[in-house]
């Protein structure tokens, strides 16, 4: 698991602790005699804590969701597909876009307010990991064009027909140009 994700999970635990107790999470001294918990144990315990926080309306109002599924729109633009995904507050370096076997996968992470001493009164804006998978209904090029502007991720998948036309129109270096 990515170290930054562990840090964001820790921030979420601190937020839940503050919402329950009104105080900051005390710093714990690392136990030297006990073995470190496995990544599976940490992930499972975190998921249980997150689910428990969601059962209380008072807590769920004050603690933003940890992971989320960003909304998206899909447009047919000529023969190409244009996918727009709402990911406000996310930087391009924190997003991965892959297209393989007819599925477009968009994943990434929205970072929280790391190091902030502010205590949330209400928390609705999600942060943490996000993931969307979209089955592409038409044969498309496997290399998407990706751009991020003002919180809107735009992914363009060229149809194979458009991609072939572009390649045929572009002379290769070995072809003599008229």
């Amino acid at each position: 698991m990515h170290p930054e994700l562990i840090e964001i999970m820790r921030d979420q635990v601190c937020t839940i602790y503050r919402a329950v107790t009104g105080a900051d999470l005390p710093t714990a001294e690392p136990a030297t005699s006990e073995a470190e918990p496995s990544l599976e144990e940490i992930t499972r315990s975190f998921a249980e804590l997150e689910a428990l926080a969601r059962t209380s309306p008072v807590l769920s109002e004050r603690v933003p969701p940890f992971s989320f599924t960003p909304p998206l729109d899909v447009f047919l633009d000529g023969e190409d597909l244009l996918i727009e995904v709402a990911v406000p507050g996310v930087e391009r370096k924190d997003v991965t876009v892959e297209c393989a076997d007819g599925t477009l996968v968009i994943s990434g992470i929205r970072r929280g307010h790391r190091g902030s001493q502010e205590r949330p009164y209400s928390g609705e804006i999600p942060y943490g990991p996000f993931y969307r998978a979209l089955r592409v209904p038409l044969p498309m090029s496997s290399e998407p064009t990706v751009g991020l502007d003002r919180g809107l991720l735009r992914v363009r998948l060229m149809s194979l027909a458009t991609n072939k036309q572009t390649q045929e129109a572009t002379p290769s270096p070995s072809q003599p140009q008229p």
Side-chain angles (χ1 to χ4, degrees):
M1 187 177 292
H2 201 275
E4 289 177 278
L5 186 55
I6 295 286
E7 184 64 28
I8 291 172
M9 289 169 68
R10 185 184 184 298
D11 289 346
Q12 183 75 346
V13 168
C14 291
T15 300
I16 293 170
Y17 187 88
R18 270 189 233 118
V20 171
T21 66
D24 288 333
L25 183 68
T27 55
E29 295 296 319
T32 56
S33 61
E34 294 180 23
E36 290 277 324
S38 71
L39 190 55
E40 283 181 30
E41 289 178 84
I42 292 170
T43 304
R44 186 179 65 254
S45 296
F46 179 79
E48 290 170 359
L49 176 64
E50 181 74 12
L52 184 61
R54 299 284 153 237
T55 62
S56 167
V58 172
L59 287 180
S60 63
E61 287 177 2
R62 297 188 64 203
V63 177
F66 177 68
S67 62
F68 64 104
T69 304
L72 63 79
D73 288 332
V74 180
F75 303 96
L76 191 55
D77 185 18
E79 293 183 3
D80 300 344
L81 280 182
L82 176 63
I83 299 96
E84 294 183 336
V85 185
V87 287
V90 173
E91 294 182 31
R92 176 63 184 98
K93 68 181 176 77
D94 294 327
V95 178
T96 302
V97 179
E98 301 170 319
C99 189
D101 300 324
T103 301
L104 177 70
V105 176
I106 300 167
S107 60
I109 192 163
R110 181 175 186 275
R111 300 175 191 286
H113 301 283
R114 236 191 265 176
S116 173
Q117 296 302 316
E118 299 170 359
R119 297 175 188 223
Y121 176 76
S122 178
E124 295 179 3
I125 299 173
Y127 65 93
F130 61 87
Y131 177 88
R132 282 305 297 257
L134 174 70
R135 189 85 182 134
V136 179
L138 307 167
M140 297 284 158
S141 168
S142 62
E143 287 301 315
T145 303
V146 182
L148 180 65
D149 183 36
R150 295 179 297 177
L152 193 61
L153 183 74
R154 289 187 177 90
V155 179
R156 178 173 295 277
L157 292 172
M158 289 183 9
S159 72
L160 287 178
T162 304
N163 198 21
K164 284 180 185 175
Q165 290 170 0
T166 304
Q167 288 176 354
E168 290 171 1
T170 306
S172 68
S174 62
Q175 284 182 328
Q177 293 189 9

